Structure formats: C-alpha cells, structure tokens
Amino acid sequence: MKLWYSPPSPFARKVRTAAIELGLDARIELVNTPVVPIKPNPVLIPQNPLVKLPALEAEDGNVLYDSRTICEYLDALAGGGRLFPASGAARWNALRRQSLGDGIMDAGILRRYELVLRPEPLRWADWLDGQQAKIDHGLDAAERDAGSWGNRFDIGDITIACALGWLDFRFAETDWRAKRPGLAAWYARVAARPSLAQTIPAP
C-alpha cells in the first residue's frame, strides 16, 4: 500500500496513527506530498481528484481518499471491529467523536488558511472568530465527555487526539488546556501511546 501524506496534516496523522494501532504501518509506503490549497500539487491529481491529503493506494490498487474512508478500510483489513465498533451504541459513539474531532480540525485548518494564505488587509475577522468559536465549542463538548472515555482507543479517540495535537502544533498560544482539565488529563495519557508519539506533526 502507498499513502500520500504531509507531516503537518492532522488528517494524515489520523491515518498513520490508525495504521500503527492496527499493526499495518510496515505494509504502507509513505509518500511525502506537500499541498497548498491555492496551487494544487500535480503529483496528487491522478491519485485524488480533489487534490487533498491523505490518499491511500489500497492492496487492490484502488486509491481511497478521506481519512474516514481510509481508516475504516484499514480497520477492515485488520479484521474489523478494532477501531470501528461493529454495531450498537459503541459504534455511534465512536463515529460521533470522530466527527467532533474532524470538525475541530476542519475549523482549525480554515482558520490557519485565513491567517497564513490571505493577505492581512483582506482577512475576515468575523470568519476567524466563527471558526475559533467552532473549535472552542468542540473542545468544550470533549471536556464534558472526557471523563467517561476510559482506556479504550478507537477511531473517535484517535481523531480527537490528532485534533488536540494539531492545535498544539499550529495554535499553541490559544492554550486549550487552561479551562479543560479533564480533556488535558486524557490527552496527556493517550499522547504517550507509540502510535501518537511516532506521528507528531512536523513542518
């Protein structure tokens, strides 16, 4: 298998973390593929028509894109039900937390693009505030739930951990931990897992 990724991408980290948790990382060739939204990378176009990362060439040669699809494929390849509970409340809870983490990452990336790619005179303050509000509401929801997460580590936990790690990487000055001690304690515990320690975002 082959994974097109970028070291700073939280969505690519999510896939790499899942692969390590499932014991599949040795079967995946990593292809570092930088992307800039305003100038699509031509190397990526044949792999993903949306020109987004991550993208995975599966064992049958088909290319999958979107971290949710890729992670579920890897889970199935490893026998199924390990990161994605098969059914019932556990499945919906894991998927709900995955959506929460994905939403935090989406809002964070949109905010970073506005700050880094748009010329300062053209930046939209209301847009920045709106994206930050989404991040804050998402983190507050995670704080309310974190005490019940226990010791399991499913796709929901992976996604939220990657979101928190990315906030530390790109927006450390916001100090999300200050008002969220439960979430901070949970993250301190899971961040020591080899799958997360080996995939820390890098420029």
Side-chain angles (χ1 to χ4, degrees), residues 37-185:
I38 58 175
K39 188 178 181 182
N41 189 329
V43 172
L44 193 57
I45 294 172
Q47 318 308 331
N48 181 354
L50 302 174
V51 203
K52 296 174 68 175
L53 297 171
L56 178 81
E57 182 180 296
E59 292 199 329
D60 62 3
N62 286 319
V63 177
L64 304 173
Y65 25 88
D66 188 88
S67 64
R68 302 182 199 203
T69 301
I70 296 170
C71 288
E72 191 151 9
Y73 167 77
L74 294 176
D75 189 64
L77 196 62
R82 293 178 56 183
L83 299 181
F84 289 80
S87 62
R91 176 172 177 79
W92 300 119
N93 187 35
L95 294 181
R96 178 180 63 83
R97 285 179 289 109
Q98 177 180 220
S99 294
L100 181 65
D102 281 345
I104 292 170
M105 293 189 289
D106 280 333
I109 288 171
L110 289 173
R111 193 169 189 277
R112 177 166 170 78
Y113 286 165
E114 185 75 10
L115 288 168
V116 173
L117 297 178
R118 191 181 297 278
E120 186 171 0
L122 301 178
R123 290 176 194 163
W124 189 3
D126 289 345
W127 172 266
L128 289 167
D129 291 345
Q131 300 308 318
Q132 185 61 51
K134 293 177 185 179
I135 294 168
D136 291 340
H137 293 319
L139 293 172
D140 290 344
E143 168 69 13
R144 290 192 294 270
D145 290 350
S148 66
W149 288 349
N151 294 319
R152 52 120 226 279
F153 197 63
D154 60 25
I155 193 60
D157 303 296
I158 288 173
T159 310
I160 289 175
C162 288
L164 298 177
W166 188 83
L167 290 175
D168 283 346
F169 175 57
R170 291 302 194 195
F171 292 107
E173 71 280 2
T174 62
D175 191 14
W176 61 264
R177 293 170 176 80
K179 298 179 180 179
R180 303 174 184 94
L183 186 60

